[in-house]
Amino acid sequence: MAEGLRERKKRETRQRISDIATGLFLEHGFVTVTMAEVADAADVSVNTVYNYFPAKEDLFFDRSRGVVDRLSRWVRGRRVGESAAAAVLRELREEVEAVSPRVGLMEGYDRFMRVIHDAPALRSRLWSLQQEVHDDLEAALREETGAGPDDPTPGLMAGQIGWLHQTVMSEISREMMACRDPAEVSREVLALLDGMEDLLSEKVLNYAVRAAE
């Protein structure tokens, strides 16, 4: 359905507030910037900001939904004959090889990560997001394999597959915070992915293989 004028204006207002807040956080730090300052810079009321973003952490992690369901989307979109782990490995390699900003391979990513590093509330929220990624992936694996609610396997597999993503993101964050060149980090992380794949058991690598329809 086509987006209505009211919905479009609300989306644009939300995006403008988020963009302005991100700029303020990067310039002044997360802790020191207040919701009132964000509202003033965006030329809206404080209540308007809270209507779109119930907490200041929501402003910073505005695009977290795309991260939380990233692995489950990759698993659900796996190819015929491809396992869940193989799909995630393939997608990660493609993102890293493309030096994609979606995995943090871009100039300025170090500033984003430093804001998180300096704010305990953001570090706590990041941990919560990582748990959401695991739970979302577990739910997808349980659905894709038809596993029962008492079967622990999807949760265990989500931990193994999520380890790939979390390790890659942590390595990229660490190297980008050291002011490394994104292309150089890309090459090193591709080698890291090869090493991690070698560490996975055959049971993990062959779990949830998509059958031909």
Side-chain angles (χ1 to χ4, degrees):
M1 294 180 64
E3 183 181 40
L5 178 61
R6 178 182 174 83
E7 289 72 23
R8 178 174 62 82
K9 286 186 174 181
K10 289 176 65 176
R11 175 177 55 80
E12 290 174 348
T13 298
R14 188 183 195 282
Q15 188 61 59
R16 183 165 58 85
I17 294 171
S18 173
D19 291 344
I20 289 171
T22 298
L24 291 173
F25 294 146
L26 291 176
E27 184 176 357
H28 303 291
F30 179 80
V31 175
T32 58
V33 175
T34 67
M35 294 291 260
E37 288 171 333
V38 172
D40 185 62
D43 195 26
V44 298
S45 70
V46 175
N47 284 340
T48 297
V49 176
Y50 277 111
N51 284 339
Y52 287 106
F53 304 97
K56 195 163 67 163
E57 293 86 352
D58 298 321
L59 268 170
F60 190 84
F61 288 114
D62 181 32
R63 297 169 179 82
S64 64
R65 184 65 247 169
V67 175
V68 168
D69 66 1
R70 175 187 285 171
L71 299 188
S72 62
R73 283 188 284 108
W74 288 351
V75 166
R76 287 193 171 98
R78 69 196 184 282
R79 300 165 179 171
V80 172
E82 190 174 50
S83 70
V88 170
L89 283 164
R90 173 177 55 78
E91 294 278 6
L92 279 172
R93 284 193 174 100
E94 289 176 0
E95 294 279 11
V96 173
E97 190 170 14
V99 195
S100 171
R102 287 188 294 268
V103 290
L105 290 169
M106 62 179 182
E107 299 294 340
Y109 188 64
D110 60 310
R111 295 177 62 202
F112 180 83
M113 293 307 301
R114 287 185 202 284
V115 173
I116 296 176
H117 184 269
D118 293 338
L122 291 181
R123 294 200 302 272
S124 178
R125 176 61 68 89
L126 183 60
W127 183 90
S128 295
L129 287 173
Q130 291 168 348
Q131 186 61 47
E132 288 181 43
V133 171
H134 175 277
D135 293 345
D136 190 71
L137 177 58
E138 178 182 351
L141 290 172
R142 196 171 295 280
E143 180 182 330
E144 291 290 306
T145 61
D150 296 328
D151 186 348
T153 306
L156 296 173
M157 291 296 178
Q160 293 287 301
I161 296 170
W163 166 72
L164 296 167
H165 181 257
Q166 187 171 340
T167 300
V168 164
M169 296 304 296
S170 296
E171 181 67 14
I172 289 174
S173 296
R174 180 167 48 250
E175 295 303 322
M176 295 308 295
M177 285 182 69
C179 300
R180 297 283 309 283
D181 176 65
E184 291 181 0
V185 176
S186 169
R187 290 191 290 271
E188 293 174 5
V189 172
L190 286 172
L192 177 65
L193 275 164
D194 290 341
M196 287 193 291
E197 183 174 5
D198 289 342
L199 291 174
L200 293 176
S201 70
E202 289 300 311
K203 186 171 184 178
V204 175
L205 289 171
N206 291 298
Y207 181 74
V209 174
R210 167 151 286 164
E213 295 182 0

